[in-house]
Amino acid sequence: MRRLSARALARPLVLAAAATAIPLGSAAPASADSVVVGGFPVEVADSPWTVALSSRDRFGGTRAGQFCGGVAVGRTTVLTAAHCLGEEVLGSPPDQVEDLKVIAGRTDLLSDEGQEVRVSAVWVNPAHDDADNSGDFAVLTLSEALPAGSVVGMAAEGDPAYTPDTQALVYGWGDASGAGDYANGLRAARVRVLPDASCERAYPGSDEGRYLASSMLCAGEDAGGRDACQGDSGGPLVAQGRLIGLVSWGSGCGRPGSPGVYTRVSSLLQTLGWDAPTAATKGQREGV
């Protein structure tokens, strides 16, 4: 299923309103150690650029109103998934959600550690296509700067981090089992960058979406298992210390033959006209 809590029927991977999960249908069952979807607990200090999107008005006070993930690519610039900011998720245009915030420096959503920063501006990719899930990214500008060291570098076109079989980590506070077990603490899962040909076979084009190698990448394992899931949309996929993807969509969570699909960071850099080393600065200067 798409992750709209965030993967819904073909799964864009958002959390449902009022902290209720969208049913996952035939989601893969969790293994005894729960390392099917959610992976393992991590401290946000080890990935300080991993942030949570929050609206208590829309999603309730439980788990601090978290509904999607994001990643800091500049001290006042956060990338996330475009579908996280749709009216069907937020109930209104994002610029009308008065309590839209980014939570940074917080491992456990039930704690008060870190900071909650108001989002001062939202830019959603106007080319985002709900039909095939392409162009699934947005840029958030924060009202105050995150601490130094809270930013991750981005992998440009040709970076070896995109090479198939490269090991990567996906981070989030989403469903840790594929059965609606949302994590309070940050988790990560080890996945493998898969060849485009495998992803094209998995998603040749249907109601779920279509894999487009020019703007997407996929990661997981052939046998299924570790994967992003509901509530993880917009979160980071990192390989060799660089951001290569944003959690976007897929079919189910952890299903064999249905890997997670991510927005390819090199493609969004080209769309935004950003150079990877200076992307955040350029984005802030141009107001994107």
Side-chain angles (χ1 to χ4, degrees), residues 34 44-46 57-58 67 124 130 155 170 206 222 242 246 269:
S34 296
V44 76
D46 297 327
D57 288 348
R58 176 64 171 156
F67 65 97
V124 179
D130 284 332
V170 57
S206 68
D222 294 334
R242 296 179 293 285
L246 303 175
L269 288 172

Side-chain angles (χ1 to χ4, degrees), residues 218-243:
C218 69
E221 297 295 336
D222 294 334
R226 301 178 182 93
D227 196 3
C229 199
Q230 262 71 10
D232 290 326
S233 281
L237 177 69
V238 175
Q240 300 180 358
R242 296 179 293 285
L243 181 69

Side-chain angles (χ1 to χ4, degrees), residues 68-125:
C68 268
V71 55
V73 296
R75 292 184 66 187
T76 60
T77 305
V78 166
L79 292 175
T80 189
H83 74 257
C84 287
L85 302 170
E87 289 191 39
E88 66 277 15
V89 173
L90 293 178
S92 62
D95 58 1
Q96 295 180 19
V97 180
E98 295 183 357
D99 73 332
L100 181 62
K101 295 179 180 179
V102 160
I103 301 176
R106 182 174 299 175
T107 298
D108 187 342
L109 293 173
L110 303 184
S111 76
D112 59 1
E113 66 180 340
Q115 61 188 128
E116 298 187 14
V117 183
R118 184 177 63 85
V119 174
S120 60
V122 177
W123 182 88
V124 179
N125 180 19

Side-chain angles (χ1 to χ4, degrees), residues 51-268:
V51 302
L53 272 57
S54 165
S55 170
R56 288 178 174 83
D57 288 348
R58 176 64 171 156
F59 298 95
T62 303
R63 301 174 68 258
Q66 185 269 343
F67 65 97
C68 268
V71 55
V73 296
R75 292 184 66 187
T76 60
T77 305
V78 166
L79 292 175
T80 189
H83 74 257
C84 287
L85 302 170
E87 289 191 39
E88 66 277 15
V89 173
L90 293 178
S92 62
D95 58 1
Q96 295 180 19
V97 180
E98 295 183 357
D99 73 332
L100 181 62
K101 295 179 180 179
V102 160
I103 301 176
R106 182 174 299 175
T107 298
D108 187 342
L109 293 173
L110 303 184
S111 76
D112 59 1
E113 66 180 340
Q115 61 188 128
E116 298 187 14
V117 183
R118 184 177 63 85
V119 174
S120 60
V122 177
W123 182 88
V124 179
N125 180 19
H128 173 228
D129 188 333
D130 284 332
D132 62 17
N133 304 313
S134 62
D136 190 15
F137 67 92
V139 183
L140 307 179
T141 302
L142 306 184
S143 60
E144 59 185 272
L146 300 177
S150 298
V151 174
V152 68
M154 292 174 280
E157 184 73 21
D159 192 296
Y162 293 105
T163 304
D165 287 331
T166 298
Q167 296 298 310
L169 286 167
V170 57
Y171 297 85
W173 289 268
D175 187 351
S177 70
D181 299 318
Y182 290 92
N184 294 325
L186 180 63
R187 299 177 69 85
R190 293 186 179 91
V191 293
R192 182 170 57 92
V193 177
L194 298 176
D196 287 329
S198 297
C199 307
E200 289 164 349
R201 285 194 299 270
Y203 302 110
S206 68
D207 291 343
E208 294 186 335
R210 179 185 176 198
Y211 181 80
L212 302 171
S214 60
S215 61
M216 302 174 185
L217 63 86
C218 69
E221 297 295 336
D222 294 334
R226 301 178 182 93
D227 196 3
C229 199
Q230 262 71 10
D232 290 326
S233 281
L237 177 69
V238 175
Q240 300 180 358
R242 296 179 293 285
L243 181 69
I244 61 172
L246 303 175
V247 177
S248 182
W249 65 284
S251 180
C253 300
R255 291 177 179 171
S258 298
V261 185
Y262 299 77
T263 300
R264 185 180 291 264
V265 167
S266 60
S267 175
L268 73 81

